[in-house]
Amino acid sequence: MLEINSLQNSRIKDAVRLRNRRERRSSGRTLIDGVRELTRALACDFPVTEVFFSEAVIDPADLAALRAVLHKHPQVEMIRVSEPVLEKLSFGDRLEGVVAVARCPVRNLADIPLGKNPLIVVLERVEKPGNLGALLRTLDAVGGDLLISADGQTDLYNPNVIRASSGAVFRVPVVEATTEETLTFLCQIGATICAARVDGSRVYTELDYRDQPIALVLGNEAEGLTDRWTGIDIEAIHLPMRGIADSLNVSTTAAVLLYEVLRQRSQS
């Protein structure tokens, strides 16, 4: 097994550069930081290429479990590193003893197999990875089928998205597309498009989400949806707000909507 103790090692420098969004974009790779996230990535056959671990940091039980999982993935290289090297690799302030490098799958909308009545979430121009990750966690919880980042302002496999989603980003299909591509796709599959707006004309509970493809569309944290998501073919919905705030956080709004869809579909 390869062992690296120098911060100047070329492989370490190469991995550290993945902390930068531009490098992740250009190389098509990302970092997976944490035992739980890595284990879930492997369980979903996410294309992990190498795993850096420090025996000085990782819990022995976690290491044993991780080695058992990696035994089924012989293509993944395990690399032992010193604690300072692992600290340099780690993306956030949580140090669990393991950081992995993985390739980021590139999917098109046409690549995603969908069932009869899929549940889709569209996020337009969302820029905060924490919101994207939290939403993915909820979409996974309700058994959703697809998340589309329309004109997105953060990368789908940002390490903070991975962490905030608790690894759900590895299970839920995620696709980047333009708003125009997204609208065309939703029309092709016959989806009922429900755009969440502060000034939406209908309360979200008034709609019937059963027995049809549903697309819940939410916008940028500061500015909401663009005008492209208006028209007679789009349902403008809102959540009742009784206080001084006129809207909820985008991931919270999505959670309310998604569980209403689940509630209705569970009763049908």
Side-chain angles (χ1 to χ4, degrees):
M1 182 183 297
L2 180 63
E3 183 168 346
I4 300 175
N5 296 309
S6 171
L7 294 171
Q8 304 307 312
N9 181 276
S10 60
R11 293 188 67 170
I12 300 303
K13 288 183 175 182
D14 184 53
V16 168
R17 282 193 289 269
L18 295 175
R19 294 161 62 103
N20 180 271
R21 179 187 178 185
R22 183 175 297 177
E23 181 65 23
R24 293 195 297 272
R25 284 282 191 184
S26 64
S27 68
R29 298 179 301 152
T30 192
L31 295 174
I32 302 174
D33 193 346
V35 175
R36 176 183 58 189
E37 289 79 2
L38 176 56
T39 300
R40 289 178 178 175
L42 293 167
C44 295
D45 292 322
F46 199 74
V48 178
T49 58
E50 53 196 341
V51 174
F52 301 94
F53 72 98
S54 172
E55 291 176 321
V57 180
I58 191 170
D59 181 274
D62 285 340
L63 180 57
L66 185 59
R67 279 178 164 154
V69 172
L70 284 167
H71 183 70
K72 303 175 184 178
H73 300 270
Q75 78 281 6
V76 180
E77 183 179 10
M78 286 192 75
I79 303 170
R80 183 182 289 110
V81 299
S82 63
E83 185 172 352
V85 169
L86 190 78
E87 289 176 352
K88 185 69 173 178
L89 288 168
S90 298
F91 192 82
D93 56 3
R94 183 182 69 177
L95 194 65
E96 291 192 1
V98 60
V99 177
V101 174
R103 296 189 303 275
C104 301
V106 179
R107 300 184 178 100
N108 297 313
L109 290 169
D111 297 333
I112 308 300
L114 295 173
K116 183 179 179 182
N117 296 312
L119 173 55
I120 300 166
V121 169
V122 178
L123 292 181
E124 185 188 42
R125 302 184 306 128
V126 168
E127 60 185 16
K128 296 182 179 179
N131 282 335
L132 178 55
L135 198 155
L136 277 164
R137 189 171 180 175
T138 307
L139 187 57
D140 175 61
V142 302
D145 299 285
L146 173 63
L147 182 137
I148 304 172
S149 177
D151 296 329
Q153 299 181 28
T154 186
D155 49 320
L156 291 174
Y157 296 106
N158 182 307
N160 282 329
V161 171
I162 294 172
R163 178 169 294 183
S165 75
S166 293
V169 68
F170 304 126
R171 196 204 71 83
V172 178
V174 292
V175 175
E176 291 182 318
T178 66
T179 291
E180 293 303 323
E181 289 169 342
T182 302
L183 277 163
T184 298
F185 170 76
L186 295 178
C187 290
Q188 288 174 343
I189 66 171
T192 296
I193 302 174
C194 308
R197 292 183 171 278
V198 172
D199 59 353
S201 59
R202 302 184 68 180
V203 177
Y204 74 101
T205 51
E206 295 177 359
L207 271 65
D208 185 346
Y209 302 102
R210 299 168 296 175
D211 302 321
Q212 58 187 311
I214 293 292
L216 303 174
V217 188
L218 302 99
N220 177 276
E221 293 88 348
E223 300 172 358
L225 290 169
T226 63
D227 291 340
R228 192 64 188 87
W229 297 97
T230 57
I232 59 174
D233 56 341
I234 295 176
E235 295 280 1
I237 59 175
H238 73 275
L239 273 62
M241 302 293 295
R242 307 302 187 198
I244 60 173
D246 63 358
S247 64
L248 300 177
N249 172 280
V250 63
S251 63
T252 303
T253 299
V256 173
L257 299 177
L258 285 166
Y259 271 93
E260 174 62 14
V261 176
L262 178 63
R263 183 190 70 81
Q264 290 190 18
R265 291 186 172 188
S266 297
Q267 294 176 352
S268 62

